[in-house]
Amino acid sequence: MPSSDASVITVLVVDDHPLLRDGVAFVLTGEPDMRIVANAHDGRSAIEAFREHRPDVTLMDLQLPDMSGIDAMRVIRSEFPAACILILTTYRGDVQVARALKQGASGFLLKDSLRKELRDAIRSAKAGRRVLSPDAASDLAGYMSGDALSERELQVLHSAARGLGNKQIAAELGVSEDTVKSHMKSILAKLDANDRTHAVVTAVKRGIMQI
Amino acid sequence: MPSSDASVITVLVVDDHPLLRDGVAFVLTGEPDMRIVANAHDGRSAIEAFREHRPDVTLMDLQLPDMSGIDAMRVIRSEFPAACILILTTYRGDVQVARALKQGASGFLLKDSLRKELRDAIRSAKAGRRVLSPDAASDLAGYMSGDALSERELQVLHSAARGLGNKQIAAELGVSEDTVKSHMKSILAKLDANDRTHAVVTAVKRGIMQI
DNA sequence: GGGGGACTCACTCTTTAGGGGGAAGACATC
DNA sequence: GATGTCTTCCCCCTAAAGAGTGAGTCCCCC
C-alpha cells in the first residue's frame, strides 16, 4: 500500500488525546520525508481512516475509548496484512505490548519517547524493521522471562479483583473451591504477593492486568 | 510577575512526556498573545524554570517523575503566591484535582482537551479566573458529593493495597487492630465493596487512589 | 519415555477477614 | 446544646483465606 508520493512516508496517528496527536504533528512538521495523512481518536475511526488513506505507518495507542488498540490493529491487519503499525504505549512494562507484537505490530514506542526516537521509529517501520523502545524492550524481557500467570490464573485474579470470594470464583469457573485456592496459591507465589489484594495491585502495576 | 512584554502571556509547560509538551507547543504556535518560555520534565526543573522565567501561566502535570505536581505547585506558590498554575490531568475523576484546587491551583484541564479549550484556559487563568474542564468538573462534583473516604481510611486502604494485613496496618499506624478493622468496615461500606481487594480496585477505578 | 507445566481436586490446620453491635472523646457545624 | 463525623477501642461470632502437603490427568516438548 504505497503512498501517492513514493518519497514521503504517510502516517496515520491514532490516539484519543488531541494534545498527544498534536505533539506527533509537531515532531513530524518540518520532516520532508513524512506526512500525517489522517488522525483518529478511537478504533472505529482508525479503521475507517486506514481504509481511506492506506498509510505507510500507523501510530496506534493501546488504550482507545471504544476498543483496544490491539483489536483495531487486528481488524486492520486482517484487511491489509502488510499494514505497518507501531504501538504507542504510556506505561512501561505493559504486558499488552507482548500481545500486540505477537499479532503483527511492527514495534512499540513509549509515549515519552524523544522526538528523534519517534522519527527514527517511523522510518525504521517503513523500512520493515521491528522497532522497540529501548526502555520498553528491557521491561518486555523482564516479564517475558518472569513467571507469567497462566490463563486460568488470570481468570481467577480478575474475578478476585471484582470482589468475588473463592467460592464464588469456583462457581463462576465451574470448578471446586479447592481448585481456586490452588490457583490463588500459585498466583501469590508467582507475583510474590502477600494476599489477593496485593496480587491484584502487583498485577496491575506490572501491566499484567487492567482494571 | 509580569512578562517582559505585557501583551504576551508567558507559559511554562511541566510534563514528563515530551510528545505532550510538543502538543502544547503545537497548539500555542501561531497564537500571537502567548509564548512558551520554558519546558520542564520534572518537579525540580519546574521550580527552577519558574524562578528563572516567572511565567504568567504554568501548565503542570500532576504526575511527575520526582515529585507530585501538587508538591511542585506548593513550592512555587510558597515563593510566588500569585503564581498562576493550571493542573493538567490525564484521568477523569482524579481526586488529586480537588487537593490541588484547595492548595491554590488556578484550575485544571484534562489532557484530552481540545486546542481551543487549552488556549481559552490559559487566557482565563491569566485573567484570574478559575478554569475547570467541563468533563472533569462533573467528576469533581461526583466525588465531592459522594461518600468520600477520610484521611485515615485512605491510609488504611493504601496499606491494604501494599499487601498488609489488619495487624500490620495497625502496627504501622500505631493503633489497635480493632481500629483498623473498624476503618475497613467503613471503607467497604462507603465504596460498596465486597472485600478489601474490591475496595482497592474500586478506589483506583474512581480515581480516589493511585497505585 | 520422561520431564515439566497446567489444571484439577482433596485434606488439615491456623490465621485472618468481615459482620454485628456498642461506646467514648475530639472536633466542627448548625 | 444538639448533631454529626472522625477516630479510637472493645466484645462477639461465622466465614473465609492462606499455608502445607499430596495426587491425579492432561498435554507439550526434549
Side-chain angles (χ1 to χ4, degrees):
Chain A
M1 33 229 58
S3 67
S4 54
D5 180 348
S7 68
V8 171
I9 305 174
T10 54
V11 178
L12 165 63
V13 183
V14 185
D15 198 292
D16 55 332
H17 289 173
L19 280 179
L20 194 127
R21 294 200 302 268
D22 286 339
V24 174
F26 186 84
V27 170
L28 301 192
T29 296
E31 296 298 306
D33 62 337
M34 46 187 78
R35 190 176 74 245
I36 296 176
V37 293
N39 284 281
H41 65 283
D42 59 19
R44 175 188 301 271
S45 57
I47 295 166
E48 287 172 9
F50 196 98
R51 288 187 186 128
E52 185 180 345
H53 297 282
R54 315 287 176 88
D56 295 315
V57 175
T58 299
L59 298 177
M60 174 82 74
D61 189 13
L62 271 180
Q63 295 169 321
L64 299 175
D66 57 341
M67 63 175 80
S68 82
I70 291 184
D71 291 335
M73 181 183 76
R74 193 155 36 209
V75 172
I76 290 172
R77 283 184 60 89
S78 69
E79 292 183 37
F80 309 95
C84 191
I85 298 176
L86 275 173
I87 299 296
L88 282 174
T89 180
T90 308
Y91 304 105
R92 292 173 56 99
D94 193 331
V95 76
Q96 298 268 54
V97 168
R99 212 168 296 169
L101 286 176
K102 274 185 202 155
Q103 303 199 10
S106 297
F108 61 95
L109 277 172
L110 287 176
K111 281 193 187 176
D112 57 359
S113 295
L114 301 176
R115 300 170 186 179
K116 184 173 183 308
E117 284 181 293
L118 176 63
R119 292 187 289 247
D120 290 349
I122 292 174
R123 294 198 183 95
S124 294
K126 173 71 183 334
R129 290 192 292 273
R130 276 225 158 168
V131 184
L132 299 182
S133 234
D135 287 340
S138 65
D139 291 339
L140 188 66
Y143 59 69
M144 286 301 223
S145 66
D147 263 337
L149 296 186
S150 72
E151 270 308 309
R152 207 55 162 167
E153 286 161 354
L154 271 179
Q155 289 172 0
V156 170
L157 197 55
H158 261 291
S159 300
R162 283 167 41 222
L164 302 185
N166 291 335
K167 198 176 295 183
Q168 294 166 295
I169 299 172
E172 198 172 53
L173 298 182
V175 297
S176 80
E177 189 183 345
D178 276 314
T179 301
V180 175
K181 282 183 155 192
S182 177
H183 286 313
M184 188 58 78
K185 274 185 275 199
S186 299
I187 293 169
L188 296 181
K190 284 182 177 179
L191 296 181
D192 195 26
N194 298 329
D195 55 29
R196 57 183 60 214
T197 306
H198 196 201
V200 169
V201 170
T202 302
V204 173
K205 275 185 177 173
R206 292 194 195 167
I208 295 170
M209 209 179 74
Q210 281 73 43
I211 57 174
Chain B
M1 34 230 53
S3 67
S4 53
D5 181 346
S7 69
V8 172
I9 305 174
T10 55
V11 179
L12 165 64
V13 182
V14 185
D15 198 292
D16 55 332
H17 289 173
L19 279 179
L20 194 127
R21 293 201 303 268
D22 287 338
V24 174
F26 187 83
V27 170
L28 300 193
T29 295
E31 295 298 307
D33 62 335
M34 46 187 78
R35 190 176 74 243
I36 295 177
V37 292
N39 285 280
H41 64 283
D42 58 20
R44 178 187 299 271
S45 57
I47 295 166
E48 286 171 8
F50 195 98
R51 287 188 186 128
E52 186 181 344
H53 297 281
R54 316 284 178 88
D56 294 315
V57 175
T58 299
L59 298 178
M60 173 83 73
D61 187 14
L62 271 180
Q63 294 169 320
L64 299 174
D66 57 343
M67 62 176 79
S68 82
I70 291 183
D71 291 334
M73 182 183 77
R74 192 156 34 208
V75 172
I76 290 173
R77 283 185 61 89
S78 69
E79 292 183 37
F80 308 96
C84 191
I85 298 175
L86 276 173
I87 299 296
L88 282 174
T89 180
T90 308
Y91 304 105
R92 291 173 57 96
D94 193 330
V95 76
Q96 299 266 55
V97 168
R99 213 167 297 171
L101 287 176
K102 274 186 202 156
Q103 303 198 12
S106 298
F108 61 93
L109 278 171
L110 286 176
K111 281 192 186 177
D112 58 0
S113 295
L114 302 175
R115 298 170 189 179
K116 184 171 183 309
E117 284 182 295
L118 176 62
R119 291 188 290 248
D120 290 348
I122 291 174
R123 294 197 184 96
S124 295
K126 173 70 184 334
R129 290 192 291 273
R130 276 222 158 170
V131 184
L132 301 182
S133 234
D135 287 340
S138 66
D139 290 341
L140 189 65
Y143 59 68
M144 287 300 223
S145 66
D147 261 341
L149 295 186
S150 71
E151 271 307 309
R152 209 53 161 168
E153 286 161 354
L154 270 179
Q155 288 172 0
V156 169
L157 196 57
H158 262 290
S159 299
R162 285 166 40 222
L164 303 184
N166 291 334
K167 200 177 294 183
Q168 295 166 295
I169 298 172
E172 198 172 53
L173 298 182
V175 297
S176 80
E177 190 184 345
D178 277 314
T179 300
V180 175
K181 282 184 153 190
S182 176
H183 286 313
M184 188 58 77
K185 274 185 277 196
S186 300
I187 293 169
L188 296 181
K190 285 184 178 180
L191 296 180
D192 195 26
N194 298 328
D195 54 29
R196 56 184 60 214
T197 306
H198 196 198
V200 168
V201 170
T202 303
V204 172
K205 275 184 175 173
R206 292 196 195 167
I208 295 171
M209 210 178 74
Q210 281 74 43
I211 58 173

